[in-house]
């Protein structure tokens, strides 16, 4: 009998009438931590809890409690209180009256059977199993059997090798062995391929079950399907990778939260066993809750609901939110909006779960159920975990989109700047204080042909044109002083040896001792400008020449016409035997022919002289002469002419005699030219003065008039060849515009110079400076040559273009 008692799970204590313990079975002895012999002989009163009224009640009225269930509290050997359900019996034990206590350790104050326990374990959404030391399953719950799409009984007494793939089984066995060997629990995650070859992840807690001798009797395990979290984790890792690889984020446009959630949508809908799932995100900017992802039934009606308008306060205010979870569809405000008339589809329940991140609600997950599927709607905790993940993914996505946007804006701005730099300037360089290049743009290669490496390995002055080194040093000094410089130009040598003109705008940053320089290649511009200048000069010369030729032909034509018509007149008179033609008329005609012939002669002379000077074989014949008398003589020779014109001519000199080496002929040409101009451009009652004075090294001869003068802007040009200053007044006189240029050449041949001062409408003064040089071996002719005749002729020639 005692043997039987020892095999029971329940504890058995047998006492005699006085309370002395006659027997305690194995179960109770171990529960109270005594050894068998210690228990036998003890009085039950020594181990009952005397403070407990129920226990006292039972113990003092044992007969009353026979076959009645009650509770009793006992102390273990170490003094721990233990509660037992107790049933009292009265029987004979080894020939004497005795009371039996049948003791069940009280757990929930209810009596659970093994079947109850199994039912509970079957409800748990985790796979639970127990294996014996041979690796055979001695217990599995329903969830665990479902993993293999099997019944519980199909798995019992099988090993892993009979239900898992061999690789998995080896792995599991390894872990089980470890648990047994070290008598310690292990938590492990394991990937495997399910019945339809789908990838699954499980997390299993494995622990040893020990017997009272601390030996491993069984191994047990609790397995949880973590496939979905794993997939999310992988997606999160991917998004994280994208986050940190900012560059790739700009180029990979395919990543977003919707894609991540879409990737797991079938897992999610399977797991939830819902008929429809939608994920809604709240957009703060427009106060709208918008559906982002829809599966199953939810897909059907989402097109009708582009958004639900909810104010930010209403959306984020917790009091508007009932507890997350599944309830009948009629119930809630937000839900009403999210499901509309879905009743037609047979939807009866809906689940609503907040997606929150960092305390802020950013959206909701909405599930739809056609019927009250207890299993499905018991998944709240799982969904909440999912929602947290969603929160992270969505925030992550929003953040990455913001960053992407910012980066692309920045990139755009940078590109614009680069474009601007590339188009606005040709060269960009950052130059260090030691003249080395710190940074260069592509222009240096495109324009000058130097590669970046070449430039970085040399000094910036190495490619400056040697003649511009000093200039460049000065520019750099100025830049350091002023911090900014614009429009400075120097030359650079290209790799192929070409010279480039670069115009720089530079900035000096003293704190970093660097100069930032932007340059424009103006070589072509310069060349074009130079060409333009030469071209313009040539054009101007051509213009002057053509003007000259039209003038000169006019100059030739006018006297020739006069001569021809006069001669025609004479011929006519002779031919008609006209007696009326008197001597005076003939003389007048002849004078006119003479004057105009002289005018032609002057022109021809001037042209010949100019041509000779240009060709370089015009000669002057220097003689030591008294310049004072040469000038005086020629002046006086035109005095009569002036008088005739009603003009006053004054000759005045500070020196009586000054011997210098000169060509009398040429001096006369000079003087006659200046005097004839003075007459030409002076009115009738005008005054002309010739003045001579001697200075240290020079003789100064000036010819002044009080005539029309020369306009200021034209004054520089009158000595130029072919120039005829045109104004209305000059029209009254004739001229070829080569007289003064000849005068200048003649003066310069004497080693002298000529200049002019004039005030418009007041008068003009020409001043000649001749050096007081004499010919060493030259003799001085005391007498001036009698050239009165030739002088008169010269005057006539030079004055021939002046008409009365
Ligand atoms: P031209 O044969 O036309 O006189 P010149 O070479 O002698 O040629 O003179 C050039 C121009 O200088 C003249 O056309 C005239 O406009 C100006 N000029 C020269 N001398 C005088 C002066 N004394 N007063 C005013 N203008 C003068």
């Amino acid at each position: 009998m005692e043997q039987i008692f020892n095999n029971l799970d329940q504890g058995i204590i047998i006492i005699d009438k006085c309370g002395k313990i006659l027997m305690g079975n194995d179960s109770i002895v171990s529960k109270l931590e005594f050894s068998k012999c210690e228990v036998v002989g003890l009085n039950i009163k020594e181990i009952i809890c005397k403070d407990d009224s129920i226990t006292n009640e039972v113990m003092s009225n044992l007969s009353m409690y026979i076959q009645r269930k009650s509770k009793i509290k006992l102390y273990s050997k170490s003094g721990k209180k233990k509660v037992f359900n107790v049933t009292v019996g009265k029987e004979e034990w080894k020939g004497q009256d005795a009371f039996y206590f049948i003791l069940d350790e009280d757990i929930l104050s209810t009596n659970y059977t093994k079947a109850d326990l199994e039912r509970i374990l079957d409800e748990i959404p985790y796979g639970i199993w127990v294996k014996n030391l041979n690796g055979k399953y001695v217990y599995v719950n329903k969830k665990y059997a479902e993993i293999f799409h099997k019944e519980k009984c199909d798995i019992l007494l099988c090993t892993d090798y009979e239900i898992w793939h061999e690789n998995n089984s080896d792995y599991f066995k390894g872990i089980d062995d470890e648990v047994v060997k070290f008598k310690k629990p292990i938590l492990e995650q394991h990937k495997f391929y399910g019945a339809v070859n789908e990838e699954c992840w499980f997390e299993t807690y494995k622990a040893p079950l020990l017997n009272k001798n601390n030996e491993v009797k069984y191994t047990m395990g609790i397995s949880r399907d973590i496939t979905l979290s794993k997939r999310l984790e992988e997606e999160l890792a991917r998004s994280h990778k994208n986050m940190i690889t900012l560059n790739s984020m700009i180029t990979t446009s395919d990543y977003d939260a919707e894609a991540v959630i879409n990737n797991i949508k079938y897992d999610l809908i399977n797991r939830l066993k819902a008929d429809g799932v939608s994920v809604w995100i709240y957009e703060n900017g427009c106060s709208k809750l918008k559906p982002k992802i829809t599966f199953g039934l939810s897909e059907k009606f989402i097109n009708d609901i582009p958004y639900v308008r909810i104010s930010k306060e209403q959306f984020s205010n917790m009091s508007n939110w009932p507890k997350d979870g599944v309830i009948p569809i009629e119930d809630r405000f937000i839900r009403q909006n999210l499901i509309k008339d879905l009743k037609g589809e047979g939807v009866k329940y809906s689940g609503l779960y907040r997606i929150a991140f960092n305390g802020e609600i950013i959206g909701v997950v909405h599930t739809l159920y056609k019927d009250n599927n207890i299993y499905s709607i018991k998944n709240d905790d799982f969904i909440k975990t999912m929602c947290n993940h969603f929160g992270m993914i969505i925030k992550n996505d929003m953040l990455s989109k913001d960053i992407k946007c910012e980066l692309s804006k920045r990139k755009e701005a940078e590109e614009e700047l680069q474009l601007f730099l590339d188009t606005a300037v040709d060269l960009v360089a950052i130059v260090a204080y030691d003249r080395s290049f710190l940074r260069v743009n592509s222009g240096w290669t495109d324009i000058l042909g130097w590669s970046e490496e070449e430039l970085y390995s040399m000094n910036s002055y190495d490619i400056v044109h040697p003649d511009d080194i000093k200039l460049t040093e000065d520019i750099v000094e100025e830049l350091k002083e002023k911090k900014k410089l614009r429009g400075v130009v120097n030359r650079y040598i290209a790799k192929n040896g070409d010279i480039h003109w670069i115009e720089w705008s530079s900035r000096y940053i003293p704190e970093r001792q660097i100069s930032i320089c932007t340059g424009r290649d103006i070589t072509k511009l310069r060349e074009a400008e130079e060409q333009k200048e030469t071209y313009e000069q040539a054009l101007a010369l051509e213009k002057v020449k053509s003007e000259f030729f039209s003038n000169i032909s006019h100059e030739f034509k006018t006297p020739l016409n006069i001569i021809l018509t006069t001669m025609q007149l004479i011929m006519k008179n002779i031919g008609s035997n006209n007696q009326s033609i008197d001597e005076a008329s003939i003389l007048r005609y002849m004078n006119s022919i003479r004057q105009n012939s002289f005018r032609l002669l002057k022109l021809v002379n001037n042209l010949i002289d100019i041509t000779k000077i240009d060709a370089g074989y015009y000669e002057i014949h220097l003689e030591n002469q008294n310049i004072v008398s040469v000038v005086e003589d020629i002046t006086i020779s035109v005095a009569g002419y002036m008088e005739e014109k009603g003009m006053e001519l004054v000759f005045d000199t500070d020196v009586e005699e000054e011997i210098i080496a000169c060509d009398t002929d040429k001096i006369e040409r000079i003087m006659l030219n200046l005097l004839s101009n003075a007459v030409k451009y002076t009115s009738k009652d005008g005054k002309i003065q010739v003045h001579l004075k001697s200075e240290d090294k020079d003789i100064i001869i000036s010819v002044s008039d009080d005539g029309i003068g020369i306009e200021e802007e034209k004054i520089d040009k009158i000595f130029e060849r072919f120039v005829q200053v045109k104004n209305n007044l000059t029209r009254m006189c004739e001229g070829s515009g080569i007289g003064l240029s000849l005068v200048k050449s003649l003066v310069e041949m004497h080693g002298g110079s000529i200049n002019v001062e004039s005030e418009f409408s007041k008068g003009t003064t020409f001043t000649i400076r001749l050096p007081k040089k004499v010919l060493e071996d030259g003799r001085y002719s005391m007498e001036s040559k009698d050239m009165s005749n030739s002088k008169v002729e010269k005057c006539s020639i030079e004055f021939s273009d002046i008409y009365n």
Side-chain angles (χ1 to χ4, degrees):
M1 187 68 175
E2 195 168 344
Q3 197 59 40
I4 296 167
F5 287 157
N6 279 338
N7 277 325
L8 288 176
D9 273 348
Q10 290 152 316
I12 308 284
I13 293 178
I14 302 171
I15 57 170
D16 65 10
K17 284 184 287 189
C18 309
K20 197 176 105 187
I21 296 174
L22 302 173
M23 200 282 299
N25 74 348
D26 283 356
S27 171
I28 194 68
V29 166
S30 84
K31 278 174 187 159
L32 296 177
E33 302 159 11
F34 286 100
S35 66
K36 263 221 162 134
C37 52
E38 282 173 335
V39 168
V40 177
L42 264 182
N43 194 302
I44 188 113
K45 286 178 187 152
E46 291 175 52
I47 58 166
I48 59 164
C49 183
K50 294 183 187 84
D51 310 334
D52 185 62
S53 55
I54 302 175
T55 307
N56 287 335
E57 170 77 24
V58 173
M59 291 311 293
S60 45
N61 298 297
L62 273 178
S63 312
M64 300 272 294
Y65 282 90
I66 289 168
Q67 298 309 326
R68 269 177 62 191
K69 284 187 178 167
S70 186
K71 271 187 197 157
I72 186 169
K73 285 187 187 169
L74 300 177
Y75 285 114
S76 71
K77 189 181 173 188
S78 62
K80 274 187 228 149
K81 249 185 229 175
K82 294 206 164 188
V83 186
F84 296 92
N85 288 318
V86 65
T87 310
V88 184
K90 199 177 174 201
E91 284 293 336
E92 226 177 61
W93 174 257
K94 295 190 178 168
Q96 59 175 305
D97 284 344
F99 289 102
Y100 291 66
F101 292 89
I102 304 164
L103 302 155
D104 264 337
E105 205 165 357
D106 184 19
I107 304 160
L108 291 167
S109 69
T110 320
N111 253 341
Y112 282 99
T113 61
K114 195 179 163 205
D116 290 334
L117 204 60
E118 287 200 2
R119 257 197 304 280
I120 293 168
L121 290 177
D122 281 345
E123 286 301 319
I124 290 176
Y126 304 119
I128 299 171
W129 50 261
V130 179
K131 283 181 216 168
N132 65 18
L133 292 181
N134 297 326
K136 288 188 173 160
Y137 287 96
V138 291
Y139 171 76
V140 293
N141 74 344
K142 195 171 140 206
K143 176 75 194 168
Y144 194 69
E146 274 173 9
I147 296 171
F148 309 99
H149 304 279
K150 286 184 173 170
E151 293 296 320
K152 292 201 290 187
C153 56
D154 298 333
I155 297 171
L156 287 173
L157 295 176
C158 292
T159 63
D160 280 330
Y161 288 92
E162 288 158 83
I163 53 169
W164 291 101
H165 188 271
E166 193 177 333
N167 286 347
N168 289 325
S169 307
D170 286 343
Y171 174 77
F172 293 149
K173 190 171 182 306
I175 305 261
D176 292 348
D177 290 349
E178 251 180 77
V179 170
V180 174
K181 188 172 168 196
F182 298 106
K183 295 184 188 168
K184 282 227 168 91
I186 290 177
L187 185 72
E188 56 96 20
Q189 291 188 349
H190 186 60
K191 181 167 87 172
F192 64 93
Y193 293 91
V196 283
N197 212 28
E198 76 280 16
E199 193 186 272
C200 306
W201 276 91
F202 271 83
E203 184 178 71
T204 304
Y205 173 82
K206 290 187 174 183
L209 292 175
L210 306 174
N211 65 13
K212 62 182 177 192
N213 300 325
N214 210 27
E215 290 155 354
V216 180
K217 208 170 169 192
Y218 302 105
T219 52
M220 58 81 71
I222 303 175
S223 296
R224 173 164 91 89
D225 182 350
I226 54 161
T227 311
L228 213 52
S229 336
K230 272 281 166 193
R231 295 282 307 273
L232 269 173
E233 232 171 65
E234 279 166 16
E235 292 291 343
L236 276 175
R238 192 162 85 89
S239 86
H240 178 72
K241 209 169 135 202
N242 280 348
M243 280 280 293
I244 55 170
T245 323
L246 293 177
N247 278 338
S248 77
M249 276 182 29
I250 296 165
T251 46
T252 348
S253 54
D254 64 339
Y255 171 77
D256 57 27
E258 287 173 40
V260 170
I261 300 170
N262 253 319
N263 285 345
I264 58 149
K265 83 179 190 183
Y266 294 109
D267 294 321
L268 191 67
I269 205 155
N270 271 340
R271 178 67 202 258
L272 295 179
K273 294 207 163 52
D275 297 298
V277 179
S278 51
V279 179
W280 300 64
I281 303 300
Y282 189 70
E283 290 185 5
N284 276 331
C286 54
S287 305
K288 287 173 184 166
L289 190 61
K290 288 188 176 170
K292 294 287 174 190
I293 290 140
T294 51
F295 323 135
L297 258 189
S298 302
E299 247 168 286
K300 271 193 137 176
F301 69 102
I302 219 74
N303 290 340
D304 303 341
I305 313 173
Y307 59 85
V308 174
R309 192 179 284 282
I310 306 173
S311 75
K312 192 171 167 23
E313 294 72 47
Q314 205 179 6
F315 186 73
S316 50
N317 190 349
M318 287 293 197
S319 62
N320 286 320
W321 288 84
K323 221 172 139 268
D324 285 345
V326 179
I327 56 160
I329 57 169
E330 288 82 10
D331 288 6
R332 291 168 192 157
F333 163 72
I334 292 174
R335 197 159 315 182
Q336 289 291 333
N337 280 300
L338 298 186
I339 55 176
K340 279 210 158 158
D341 49 1
L342 250 190
K343 281 179 224 166
E345 300 286 339
V347 174
K348 291 207 177 93
Y349 294 85
S350 88
L352 199 65
Y353 305 87
R354 281 162 286 194
I355 302 174
F357 182 79
N358 232 359
E360 180 200 358
I361 306 176
I362 56 176
V364 292
V365 169
H366 186 217
T367 53
L368 299 175
Y369 300 94
K370 282 185 171 177
D371 53 44
N372 184 354
N373 181 333
I374 298 295
Y375 176 84
S376 314
I377 63 180
K378 286 286 176 201
N379 269 312
D380 283 5
D381 279 343
F382 165 75
I383 299 180
K384 279 179 201 160
T385 315
M386 286 301 106
C387 286
N388 286 340
H389 281 302
F390 285 173
M392 263 152 57
I393 293 169
I394 290 159
K395 269 284 156 185
N396 192 347
D397 181 45
M398 284 171 166
L399 187 68
S400 74
K401 275 184 180 139
D402 283 351
I403 294 172
K404 243 187 235 181
C405 183
E406 272 309 307
L407 280 174
S408 72
K409 267 193 222 157
R410 225 179 96 180
K411 207 175 166 205
E412 259 171 44
E414 263 173 21
E415 275 169 4
E416 265 171 34
L417 186 70
Q418 191 56 46
L419 199 71
F420 173 75
L421 281 179
D422 286 350
T423 47
V425 298
D426 297 323
L427 304 177
V428 182
I430 300 178
V431 183
Y433 71 96
D434 64 354
R435 299 177 176 185
S436 63
F437 288 105
L438 294 177
R439 235 180 126 171
V440 290
N441 76 337
S442 59
W444 292 84
T445 315
D446 301 343
I447 292 163
L448 298 179
W450 299 104
S451 72
E452 263 186 51
E453 295 73 49
E454 284 168 331
L455 290 164
Y456 289 141
S457 66
M458 61 167 97
N459 182 309
S460 62
Y461 278 56
D462 291 349
I463 53 170
V464 171
H465 189 288
D467 295 350
D468 285 357
I469 297 278
K470 174 79 182 64
L471 170 80
T472 310
E473 282 170 349
D474 292 348
I475 292 174
V476 170
E477 278 312 305
E478 198 184 338
L479 175 65
K480 281 185 180 165
E481 197 185 307
K482 294 185 177 164
K483 312 281 180 288
K484 252 190 212 176
L485 268 192
R486 271 176 173 279
V488 289
V489 178
N490 63 355
R491 284 170 293 173
Y492 279 78
I493 314 275
K495 200 174 176 184
N496 63 5
D498 285 354
I499 294 166
H500 286 257
W501 291 86
I502 312 290
E503 186 183 75
W504 294 102
S505 289
S506 306
R507 197 178 254 277
Y508 178 67
I509 301 172
E511 310 82 60
R512 295 170 60 197
Q513 288 193 308
I514 56 165
S515 310
I516 301 171
C517 315
T518 53
R520 227 159 42 97
D521 183 4
I522 55 163
T523 316
K524 292 235 159 58
L525 203 74
R526 276 220 162 206
E527 281 169 4
E529 265 168 17
E530 272 166 22
Q531 273 171 4
K532 196 175 152 213
E533 215 169 282
T534 332
Y535 176 71
E536 274 172 359
Q537 275 172 1
L539 207 70
L541 194 68
E542 275 312 304
K543 202 174 151 213
V544 168
K545 271 187 189 166
S546 64
E547 269 177 17
F548 167 73
F549 281 113
S550 73
N551 274 343
I552 216 93
S553 55
H554 171 75
E555 292 299 299
F556 275 109
K557 266 191 210 155
T558 319
L560 269 174
N561 278 339
I562 296 170
I563 293 168
L564 287 172
T565 29
T566 316
M567 282 176 65
Q568 238 174 354
L569 209 64
I570 296 169
M571 300 279 273
K572 201 175 152 198
N573 278 325
I574 294 170
S576 63
N577 272 337
N578 190 348
Q579 294 305 311
S580 66
I581 181 163
D582 54 19
E583 210 174 312
S585 302
I586 290 178
L587 207 62
R588 217 175 56 243
Y589 291 149
M590 294 310 280
N591 263 335
S592 169
I593 292 172
R594 189 170 170 265
Q595 189 188 7
N596 282 292
S597 304
F598 280 146
R599 198 173 149 193
L600 283 176
L601 197 62
K602 178 182 175 180
L603 259 175
V604 172
N605 281 347
N606 279 352
L607 277 176
I608 291 170
D609 288 350
I610 282 287
T611 321
K612 276 188 185 167
I613 290 170
D614 282 354
Y617 57 88
Y618 189 84
E619 284 175 5
I620 59 164
H621 306 286
L622 294 177
E623 278 179 333
N624 290 340
Q625 287 284 349
N626 179 4
I627 185 74
V628 181
S629 58
V630 174
V631 173
E632 189 176 2
D633 286 353
I634 196 72
T635 310
I636 285 166
S637 72
V638 296
Y641 184 85
M642 300 274 185
E643 239 168 76
E644 223 173 82
K645 285 247 169 195
M647 288 178 181
E648 191 188 345
L649 176 67
V650 179
F651 177 82
D652 185 16
T653 178
D654 295 356
V655 276
E656 283 309 311
E657 189 184 85
E658 193 65 66
I659 311 294
I660 62 162
C662 62
D663 181 332
T664 316
D665 252 14
K666 311 295 183 289
I667 297 292
E668 283 174 356
R669 284 287 289 281
I670 294 167
M671 286 311 292
L672 285 174
N673 231 306
L674 293 181
L675 286 167
S676 79
N677 275 349
V679 175
K680 261 200 254 179
Y681 303 111
T682 307
S683 54
K684 275 204 160 152
D685 51 354
K687 183 179 174 186
I688 296 163
Q689 292 186 69
V690 176
H691 184 252
L692 254 116
K693 65 174 177 181
S694 172
E695 274 185 7
D696 202 12
K697 288 179 181 165
D698 301 318
I699 279 286
I700 321 279
I701 309 161
S702 63
V703 179
S704 326
D705 63 62
D706 54 359
I708 60 168
I710 306 166
E711 285 173 50
E712 210 178 314
E713 60 269 27
K714 292 169 183 166
I715 208 155
D716 295 336
K717 296 196 172 148
I718 54 166
F719 293 109
E720 281 175 23
R721 184 82 50 88
F722 309 130
V723 166
Q724 227 190 3
V725 178
K726 273 184 198 154
N727 63 42
N728 292 334
L729 290 168
T730 60
R731 274 287 125 222
M732 66 193 205
C733 308
E734 305 290 335
S736 59
I738 48 176
L740 281 178
S741 110
L742 187 67
V743 165
K744 190 168 182 255
S745 303
L746 293 177
V747 172
E748 282 166 358
M749 281 175 165
H750 283 84
S753 64
I754 180 167
N755 74 324
V756 63
E757 279 169 65
S758 182
E759 205 177 329
F760 191 59
S761 79
K762 288 265 170 66
T764 309
T765 301
F766 286 91
T767 309
I768 297 166
R769 239 168 219 281
L770 293 175
K772 288 182 188 170
K773 277 189 211 153
V774 285
L775 299 172
E776 290 300 310
D777 55 344
R779 54 177 185 87
Y780 164 58
S781 71
M782 287 290 287
E783 281 169 46
S784 65
K785 290 177 229 163
D786 180 17
M787 302 197 301
S788 50
N789 268 343
S790 71
K791 261 198 197 88
V792 171
E793 202 174 279
K794 278 178 196 163
C795 289
S796 304
I797 294 171
E798 290 302 333
F799 281 67
S800 60
D801 50 3
I802 306 168
Y803 294 91
N804 291 323

